Amino acid sequence: MEKLKLQIYLIQTLCLHKKIYKFSLLVFLCSLIFFSKTSCSTLSFNFYGLSCPSAELMVKNTVRSASSMDPTIPGKLLRLLFHDCFVEGCDASILLEGNGTERSDPANKSLGGFSVIENAKRVLEIFCPFTVSCADIVALAARDAVEFAGGPNVQIPTGRRDGRISLTTNVRPNIVDTSFTMDQMINIFTIKGLSVDDLVILSGAHTIGSAHCNAFSGRFRVDTNGNFTLIDPSLDKAYATELTKQCPAGAATSTITVKNDPQTPQLFDNQYFKDLIEHKGLFQSDSVLFNDVRTKERVMEFANDQDGFFRSWSQSFVRLSVLGVKSGENGEVRTSCSVIN
């Protein structure tokens, strides 16, 4: 019954961006067959209901505790899920340590939140040994991080298995760079089975978190004499000037961080979309969402309707969290998240 509910829910999420909830019996049955043949069919709501009833609560309490002590944790956990799911699927491959792993790639050097995942895993191994996967912990932690920061509570399926493959060579071809054009981003999302609508919605994750100066410093220039030059005209000049103060010329731009959302940096809300309209998107990949006709209308819609953004987020987040999940012999349940069994 849980799997049937999940199949129906996933079908609805896939149709949300077209606002289609009523479809023919034929399409419905075909969709059920499709999901029953994919790894998504191995997932279910309350997957640990019998084997570890308090699993989700233990993860949530760990996230709450860590976030209460460090307000940057929610943004880190959310970003960690993105970088995990877009490479090898949502299988906790990002957590594996060692030379040549995803985690060792320069693009992932600035990731954080690993200790939160490990702490949750240690607690779970005490009460429910060899049961809860690291992949599920990463997904649940990101979900709980959004809620802690003021975002919607999202019900997600569990039952993911941990992957055994983690290669640095798989990272760059599969993640979105902050300098990407709209076409480049759409290409990545399309390959993952996500829509342009998902691209806009999930970019809303930038309403929390921070970024290193070198991720956006190419949008303007300040010479040694302090002379300012705006290179990217899509960026508000006053905002760019403020960024130069936070990222001064000659400073170590790979170590200094700036809040993604200058208005409400620790609150998961729709301010990100309002920032885009004001040309205050931190990354080039942010700004193009408002400048491109394919996505501008949705940006404006979410800027004016936080509840609408939250509803859409809930659907797109589920789609993100089930990308390329492993099942059966294709995965395992690690006893330590940083090494395979």
Coordinates of all heavy atoms in Angstrom, one line a residue, residues 221-293:
R221 N 35.1 43.7 -11.4 CA 36.6 43.8 -11.2 C 36.9 45.1 -10.4 O 36.4 46.1 -10.7 CB 37.3 43.8 -12.5 CG 38.8 43.8 -12.4 CD 39.5 43.7 -13.8 NE 39.2 44.7 -14.7 CZ 38.5 44.6 -15.8 NH1 38.0 43.4 -16.1 NH2 38.2 45.6 -16.6
V222 N 37.9 44.9 -9.5 CA 38.4 46.1 -8.8 C 39.9 46.0 -8.9 O 40.6 45.0 -8.5 CB 38.0 46.1 -7.3 CG1 38.6 47.3 -6.6 CG2 36.5 46.1 -7.2
D223 N 40.5 47.1 -9.5 CA 42.0 47.0 -9.7 C 42.7 47.4 -8.4 O 42.0 47.7 -7.4 CB 42.4 47.9 -10.8 CG 42.1 49.4 -10.6 OD1 42.0 49.8 -9.5 OD2 42.0 50.1 -11.6
T224 N 44.0 47.4 -8.4 CA 44.8 47.7 -7.2 C 44.6 49.1 -6.7 O 44.9 49.4 -5.5 CB 46.3 47.4 -7.4 OG1 46.7 48.1 -8.6 CG2 46.5 45.9 -7.7
N225 N 44.1 50.0 -7.5 CA 43.9 51.4 -7.1 C 42.5 51.6 -6.6 O 42.1 52.7 -6.3 CB 44.1 52.3 -8.3 CG 45.6 52.3 -8.8 OD1 46.5 52.3 -7.9 ND2 45.8 52.3 -10.1
G226 N 41.7 50.5 -6.6 CA 40.3 50.6 -6.1 C 39.3 51.0 -7.1 O 38.1 51.2 -6.8
N227 N 39.7 51.0 -8.4 CA 38.7 51.4 -9.4 C 37.8 50.2 -9.7 O 38.3 49.1 -10.0 CB 39.5 51.8 -10.7 CG 40.3 53.0 -10.4 OD1 39.9 54.0 -9.9 ND2 41.6 53.0 -10.9
F228 N 36.5 50.5 -9.7 CA 35.5 49.4 -9.9 C 35.0 49.4 -11.4 O 34.8 50.4 -12.0 CB 34.3 49.7 -9.0 CG 33.1 48.8 -9.2 CD1 33.1 47.5 -8.7 CD2 32.1 49.3 -10.0 CE1 32.0 46.7 -8.9 CE2 30.9 48.5 -10.2 CZ 30.9 47.2 -9.7
T229 N 34.9 48.1 -11.9 CA 34.4 47.9 -13.2 C 33.3 46.8 -13.2 O 33.6 45.7 -12.7 CB 35.4 47.5 -14.3 OG1 36.5 48.5 -14.3 CG2 34.8 47.4 -15.6
L230 N 32.1 47.1 -13.6 CA 31.0 46.1 -13.6 C 31.1 45.3 -15.0 O 31.0 45.9 -16.0 CB 29.7 46.8 -13.5 CG 28.5 45.8 -13.5 CD1 28.5 44.9 -12.2 CD2 27.2 46.6 -13.5
I231 N 31.4 44.1 -14.9 CA 31.6 43.2 -16.1 C 30.3 42.6 -16.5 O 30.0 42.6 -17.7 CB 32.6 42.1 -15.8 CG1 34.0 42.7 -15.5 CG2 32.7 41.2 -17.0 CD1 35.0 41.7 -15.1
D232 N 29.5 42.2 -15.6 CA 28.2 41.6 -15.9 C 27.1 42.6 -15.7 O 26.7 42.9 -14.6 CB 27.9 40.4 -15.0 CG 26.7 39.6 -15.4 OD1 25.9 40.1 -16.2 OD2 26.5 38.5 -14.9
P233 N 26.5 43.2 -16.8 CA 25.5 44.2 -16.7 C 24.2 43.8 -16.0 O 23.3 44.6 -15.7 CB 25.3 44.7 -18.1 CG 25.7 43.5 -18.9 CD 26.8 42.9 -18.2
S234 N 24.0 42.4 -15.9 CA 22.8 41.9 -15.3 C 22.8 42.0 -13.8 O 21.8 41.8 -13.1 CB 22.5 40.5 -15.7 OG 23.5 39.6 -15.2
L235 N 23.9 42.4 -13.3 CA 24.1 42.6 -11.8 C 23.9 44.0 -11.4 O 24.5 44.9 -12.0 CB 25.5 42.1 -11.4 CG 25.8 42.0 -9.9 CD1 24.9 41.0 -9.2 CD2 27.3 41.6 -9.7
D236 N 23.1 44.2 -10.4 CA 22.9 45.6 -9.9 C 24.2 46.2 -9.4 O 25.0 45.6 -8.7 CB 21.9 45.5 -8.7 CG 21.7 46.9 -8.1 OD1 20.9 47.7 -8.7 OD2 22.2 47.1 -7.0
K237 N 24.5 47.4 -9.9 CA 25.8 48.0 -9.6 C 26.0 48.3 -8.2 O 27.1 48.0 -7.6 CB 25.9 49.3 -10.4 CG 27.3 49.9 -10.4 CD 27.5 51.1 -11.3 CE 28.9 51.7 -11.3 NZ 29.1 52.8 -12.2
A238 N 25.0 48.8 -7.5 CA 25.2 49.1 -6.0 C 25.4 47.8 -5.3 O 26.2 47.7 -4.3 CB 23.9 49.7 -5.5
Y239 N 24.7 46.7 -5.7 CA 24.9 45.4 -5.0 C 26.3 44.9 -5.3 O 27.0 44.4 -4.4 CB 23.9 44.4 -5.5 CG 24.0 43.0 -4.9 CD1 24.1 42.8 -3.6 CD2 24.0 41.9 -5.8 CE1 24.2 41.5 -3.0 CE2 24.1 40.6 -5.3 CZ 24.2 40.4 -3.9 OH 24.3 39.2 -3.4
A240 N 26.8 45.1 -6.5 CA 28.1 44.6 -6.9 C 29.2 45.4 -6.1 O 30.2 44.8 -5.7 CB 28.3 44.8 -8.4
T241 N 28.9 46.7 -5.9 CA 29.9 47.5 -5.1 C 30.0 47.0 -3.7 O 31.0 46.9 -3.1 CB 29.4 49.0 -5.1 OG1 29.4 49.4 -6.5 CG2 30.4 49.8 -4.4
E242 N 28.8 46.6 -3.2 CA 28.8 46.1 -1.8 C 29.6 44.7 -1.7 O 30.3 44.5 -0.8 CB 27.3 45.8 -1.4 CG 27.2 45.3 0.0 CD 27.8 46.1 1.1 OE1 27.8 47.4 1.0 OE2 28.3 45.6 2.1
L243 N 29.4 43.9 -2.8 CA 30.1 42.7 -2.8 C 31.7 42.9 -2.9 O 32.4 42.1 -2.3 CB 29.7 41.8 -4.1 CG 28.3 41.3 -4.0 CD1 27.9 40.6 -5.3 CD2 28.1 40.3 -2.9
T244 N 32.1 43.9 -3.5 CA 33.5 44.2 -3.6 C 34.1 44.5 -2.2 O 35.3 44.2 -1.9 CB 33.9 45.4 -4.5 OG1 33.3 46.6 -4.0 CG2 33.4 45.1 -5.9
K245 N 33.2 45.0 -1.3 CA 33.7 45.3 0.1 C 33.9 44.0 0.9 O 34.7 43.9 1.7 CB 32.7 46.2 0.7 CG 32.6 47.6 0.1 CD 31.5 48.4 0.8 CE 31.3 49.8 0.1 NZ 30.2 50.6 0.7
Q246 N 33.0 43.1 0.5 CA 33.1 41.8 1.2 C 34.1 40.9 0.6 O 34.6 40.0 1.3 CB 31.7 41.1 1.2 CG 30.6 41.9 1.8 CD 29.3 41.1 1.8 OE1 29.1 40.0 2.3 NE2 28.3 41.8 1.1
C247 N 34.4 41.2 -0.6 CA 35.5 40.4 -1.4 C 36.5 41.4 -1.9 O 36.6 41.6 -3.1 CB 34.9 39.6 -2.5 SG 33.5 38.5 -2.0
P248 N 37.3 42.0 -1.1 CA 38.3 43.0 -1.5 C 39.3 42.4 -2.5 O 39.7 41.3 -2.4 CB 38.9 43.5 -0.2 CG 38.7 42.4 0.7 CD 37.4 41.7 0.4
A249 N 39.8 43.3 -3.4 CA 40.8 42.9 -4.3 C 42.1 42.4 -3.6 O 42.5 43.0 -2.6 CB 41.2 44.1 -5.2
G250 N 42.6 41.3 -4.0 CA 43.8 40.8 -3.4 C 43.6 39.9 -2.2 O 44.5 39.2 -1.7
A251 N 42.3 39.8 -1.8 CA 42.0 38.9 -0.7 C 41.9 37.4 -1.2 O 41.8 37.2 -2.4 CB 40.7 39.3 -0.1
A252 N 41.9 36.5 -0.3 CA 41.8 35.1 -0.7 C 40.4 34.8 -1.0 O 39.6 34.4 -0.1 CB 42.4 34.2 0.4
T253 N 40.0 34.9 -2.2 CA 38.6 34.8 -2.6 C 38.1 33.4 -2.5 O 36.9 33.1 -2.5 CB 38.3 35.3 -4.1 OG1 39.2 34.5 -4.9 CG2 38.7 36.7 -4.2
S254 N 38.9 32.4 -2.3 CA 38.5 31.0 -2.1 C 38.2 30.7 -0.7 O 37.7 29.6 -0.4 CB 39.6 30.1 -2.7 OG 40.8 30.2 -1.9
T255 N 38.4 31.6 0.2 CA 38.2 31.4 1.7 C 37.1 32.3 2.2 O 36.4 31.9 3.2 CB 39.5 31.5 2.5 OG1 40.0 32.9 2.3 CG2 40.5 30.5 2.1
I256 N 36.9 33.5 1.7 CA 35.9 34.4 2.1 C 34.5 34.0 1.6 O 34.4 33.6 0.4 CB 36.2 35.9 1.7 CG1 37.6 36.3 2.2 CG2 35.1 36.8 2.2 CD1 38.0 37.6 1.7
T257 N 33.5 34.0 2.4 CA 32.2 33.7 2.0 C 31.2 34.8 2.1 O 31.4 35.7 2.9 CB 31.6 32.5 2.8 OG1 31.6 32.8 4.2 CG2 32.5 31.3 2.6
V258 N 30.2 34.8 1.3 CA 29.1 35.8 1.2 C 27.8 35.1 1.2 O 27.6 34.1 0.6 CB 29.3 36.7 -0.1 CG1 28.1 37.6 -0.2 CG2 30.6 37.5 0.0
K259 N 26.8 35.7 1.9 CA 25.5 35.1 2.0 C 24.8 35.1 0.6 O 24.9 36.1 -0.1 CB 24.6 35.9 3.0 CG 25.2 35.9 4.4 CD 25.3 34.6 5.0 CE 25.8 34.7 6.5 NZ 26.0 33.3 7.1
N260 N 24.2 34.0 0.3 CA 23.5 33.9 -1.0 C 22.4 35.0 -1.1 O 22.2 35.6 -2.2 CB 22.9 32.6 -1.2 CG 23.9 31.5 -1.5 OD1 25.1 31.8 -1.8 ND2 23.5 30.2 -1.3
D261 N 21.6 35.1 0.0 CA 20.5 36.1 0.0 C 20.9 37.2 1.0 O 21.0 36.9 2.2 CB 19.3 35.3 0.5 CG 18.1 36.3 0.7 OD1 18.2 37.5 0.4 OD2 17.0 35.8 1.2
P262 N 21.1 38.4 0.5 CA 21.5 39.5 1.4 C 20.5 40.0 2.4 O 20.8 40.6 3.4 CB 21.9 40.6 0.4 CG 21.1 40.3 -0.8 CD 21.0 38.8 -0.9
Q263 N 19.2 39.6 2.1 CA 18.1 40.2 2.9 C 17.8 39.3 4.1 O 17.7 39.7 5.2 CB 16.9 40.3 2.0 CG 17.1 41.3 0.8 CD 17.4 42.7 1.3 OE1 16.9 43.2 2.3 NE2 18.3 43.3 0.5
T264 N 17.5 38.0 3.8 CA 17.1 37.0 4.9 C 17.9 35.8 4.7 O 17.4 34.7 4.3 CB 15.6 36.7 4.8 OG1 15.3 36.2 3.5 CG2 14.7 37.9 5.1
P265 N 19.2 35.9 5.0 CA 20.2 34.8 4.6 C 20.0 33.5 5.4 O 20.4 32.4 4.9 CB 21.5 35.4 5.0 CG 21.2 36.4 6.0 CD 19.9 37.0 5.6
Q266 N 19.3 33.5 6.5 CA 19.1 32.2 7.3 C 17.7 31.8 7.3 O 17.3 30.8 8.0 CB 19.6 32.5 8.7 CG 21.1 32.7 8.8 CD 21.5 33.1 10.2 OE1 20.7 33.1 11.2 NE2 22.7 33.5 10.4
L267 N 16.8 32.4 6.5 CA 15.4 32.1 6.4 C 15.1 31.5 5.0 O 15.4 32.1 4.0 CB 14.6 33.3 6.7 CG 13.0 33.1 6.7 CD1 12.7 32.2 7.9 CD2 12.3 34.4 6.9
F268 N 14.5 30.3 5.0 CA 14.0 29.7 3.8 C 12.7 30.3 3.4 O 11.7 30.0 4.0 CB 13.9 28.2 3.9 CG 13.7 27.5 2.6 CD1 14.8 27.0 1.9 CD2 12.5 27.4 2.0 CE1 14.7 26.3 0.7 CE2 12.3 26.8 0.7 CZ 13.4 26.2 0.1
D269 N 12.7 31.3 2.4 CA 11.6 32.0 2.0 C 11.6 32.2 0.5 O 12.4 31.6 -0.2 CB 11.4 33.3 2.8 CG 12.7 34.2 2.7 OD1 13.5 33.9 1.8 OD2 12.8 35.1 3.5
N270 N 10.8 33.2 0.0 CA 10.8 33.5 -1.4 C 11.7 34.8 -1.7 O 11.6 35.3 -2.8 CB 9.4 33.6 -1.9 CG 8.7 34.9 -1.4 OD1 9.0 35.3 -0.3 ND2 7.8 35.4 -2.1
Q271 N 12.4 35.2 -0.8 CA 13.2 36.4 -1.0 C 14.2 36.3 -2.1 O 14.5 37.3 -2.8 CB 14.0 36.8 0.3 CG 14.8 38.1 0.2 CD 14.0 39.3 0.0 OE1 12.9 39.5 0.6 NE2 14.4 40.2 -1.0
Y272 N 14.7 35.1 -2.3 CA 15.6 34.8 -3.4 C 15.1 35.3 -4.8 O 15.8 36.0 -5.6 CB 15.9 33.3 -3.5 CG 16.6 32.9 -4.8 CD1 18.0 33.1 -5.0 CD2 15.9 32.2 -5.8 CE1 18.6 32.6 -6.2 CE2 16.5 31.8 -6.9 CZ 17.8 32.0 -7.1 OH 18.4 31.5 -8.3
F273 N 13.8 35.1 -5.0 CA 13.2 35.4 -6.3 C 13.0 37.0 -6.3 O 13.1 37.6 -7.4 CB 11.8 34.7 -6.4 CG 12.0 33.2 -6.5 CD1 11.7 32.4 -5.4 CD2 12.5 32.6 -7.7 CE1 11.9 31.0 -5.5 CE2 12.7 31.2 -7.8 CZ 12.4 30.4 -6.7
K274 N 12.7 37.6 -5.2 CA 12.6 39.0 -5.1 C 14.0 39.6 -5.5 O 14.1 40.7 -6.1 CB 12.1 39.5 -3.8 CG 10.7 39.0 -3.4 CD 10.3 39.5 -2.0 CE 9.0 39.0 -1.6 NZ 8.6 39.3 -0.3
D275 N 15.0 39.0 -4.9 CA 16.4 39.5 -5.2 C 16.7 39.4 -6.7 O 17.3 40.3 -7.3 CB 17.4 38.6 -4.5 CG 17.4 38.8 -3.0 OD1 16.8 39.8 -2.5 OD2 17.8 37.9 -2.3
L276 N 16.2 38.4 -7.4 CA 16.5 38.2 -8.8 C 15.8 39.4 -9.6 O 16.4 39.9 -10.6 CB 16.0 36.9 -9.3 CG 16.6 35.6 -8.8 CD1 16.1 34.4 -9.5 CD2 18.1 35.7 -8.9
I277 N 14.6 39.7 -9.2 CA 13.9 40.8 -9.9 C 14.7 42.1 -9.7 O 14.7 43.0 -10.6 CB 12.5 40.9 -9.4 CG1 11.7 39.7 -9.8 CG2 11.8 42.2 -9.9 CD1 10.3 39.6 -9.2
E278 N 15.3 42.3 -8.6 CA 16.1 43.5 -8.3 C 17.5 43.4 -8.8 O 18.4 44.2 -8.5 CB 16.1 43.7 -6.8 CG 14.8 44.0 -6.2 CD 14.8 44.2 -4.7 OE1 15.9 44.0 -4.1 OE2 13.8 44.5 -4.1
H279 N 17.8 42.4 -9.6 CA 19.1 42.1 -10.2 C 20.2 41.9 -9.1 O 21.3 42.4 -9.3 CB 19.5 43.3 -11.1 CG 18.5 43.5 -12.3 ND1 18.4 42.7 -13.3 CD2 17.6 44.4 -12.4 CE1 17.5 43.1 -14.2 NE2 16.9 44.2 -13.6
K280 N 19.8 41.2 -8.1 CA 20.8 40.9 -7.0 C 21.0 39.5 -6.8 O 21.2 39.0 -5.7 CB 20.2 41.6 -5.7 CG 20.2 43.1 -5.7 CD 19.7 43.7 -4.4 CE 19.7 45.2 -4.5 NZ 19.1 45.8 -3.2
G281 N 20.9 38.7 -7.9 CA 21.3 37.3 -7.9 C 22.8 37.2 -7.8 O 23.5 37.8 -8.5
L282 N 23.2 36.4 -6.8 CA 24.7 36.4 -6.5 C 25.5 35.8 -7.7 O 26.5 36.2 -8.0 CB 24.9 35.6 -5.2 CG 26.4 35.6 -4.7 CD1 26.9 37.0 -4.4 CD2 26.5 34.7 -3.5
F283 N 24.9 34.7 -8.3 CA 25.6 34.0 -9.3 C 25.1 34.4 -10.7 O 23.9 34.8 -10.8 CB 25.5 32.5 -9.2 CG 25.9 32.0 -7.8 CD1 25.1 31.2 -7.1 CD2 27.2 32.3 -7.3 CE1 25.4 30.7 -5.8 CE2 27.5 31.8 -6.0 CZ 26.7 31.0 -5.3
Q284 N 25.9 34.2 -11.7 CA 25.4 34.4 -13.1 C 24.3 33.4 -13.4 O 23.3 33.8 -14.0 CB 26.5 34.2 -14.1 CG 26.1 34.3 -15.5 CD 27.3 34.1 -16.5 OE1 28.4 34.6 -16.3 NE2 27.1 33.2 -17.5
S285 N 24.4 32.2 -12.8 CA 23.4 31.2 -13.0 C 22.0 31.6 -12.3 O 21.0 31.1 -12.7 CB 23.8 29.8 -12.5 OG 24.2 29.9 -11.2
D286 N 22.1 32.5 -11.3 CA 20.9 33.0 -10.7 C 20.3 34.1 -11.6 O 19.1 34.0 -11.9 CB 21.2 33.6 -9.4 CG 21.6 32.6 -8.3 OD1 21.1 31.5 -8.3 OD2 22.5 32.9 -7.5
S287 N 21.1 35.0 -12.0 CA 20.6 36.2 -12.8 C 19.9 35.7 -14.1 O 18.9 36.4 -14.5 CB 21.7 37.1 -13.1 OG 22.2 37.7 -11.9
V288 N 20.4 34.7 -14.7 CA 19.8 34.3 -16.0 C 18.3 33.8 -15.9 O 17.6 33.9 -16.8 CB 20.6 33.2 -16.7 CG1 22.0 33.7 -17.1 CG2 20.7 32.0 -15.9
L289 N 18.0 33.4 -14.7 CA 16.6 32.9 -14.5 C 15.6 34.1 -14.7 O 14.5 33.8 -15.2 CB 16.4 32.4 -13.1 CG 17.2 31.1 -12.7 CD1 17.1 30.7 -11.3 CD2 16.8 30.0 -13.6
F290 N 16.0 35.3 -14.3 CA 15.1 36.4 -14.5 C 15.2 37.0 -15.9 O 14.3 37.6 -16.5 CB 15.3 37.5 -13.5 CG 14.4 38.7 -13.6 CD1 13.0 38.5 -13.3 CD2 14.9 39.9 -13.9 CE1 12.2 39.6 -13.4 CE2 14.0 41.0 -14.0 CZ 12.7 40.9 -13.8
N291 N 16.4 36.9 -16.5 CA 16.7 37.5 -17.8 C 16.2 36.7 -19.0 O 16.1 37.2 -20.1 CB 18.2 37.7 -17.9 CG 18.7 38.7 -16.9 OD1 18.0 39.6 -16.4 ND2 20.0 38.6 -16.5
D292 N 15.9 35.4 -18.7 CA 15.5 34.5 -19.8 C 14.0 34.4 -19.8 O 13.4 34.2 -18.8 CB 16.2 33.1 -19.6 CG 16.1 32.3 -20.9 OD1 14.9 31.8 -21.2 OD2 17.1 32.0 -21.5
V293 N 13.4 34.5 -21.0 CA 12.0 34.5 -21.2 C 11.4 33.2 -20.8 O 10.2 33.1 -20.4 CB 11.5 34.9 -22.6 CG1 11.9 36.3 -22.9 CG2 12.1 33.9 -23.6

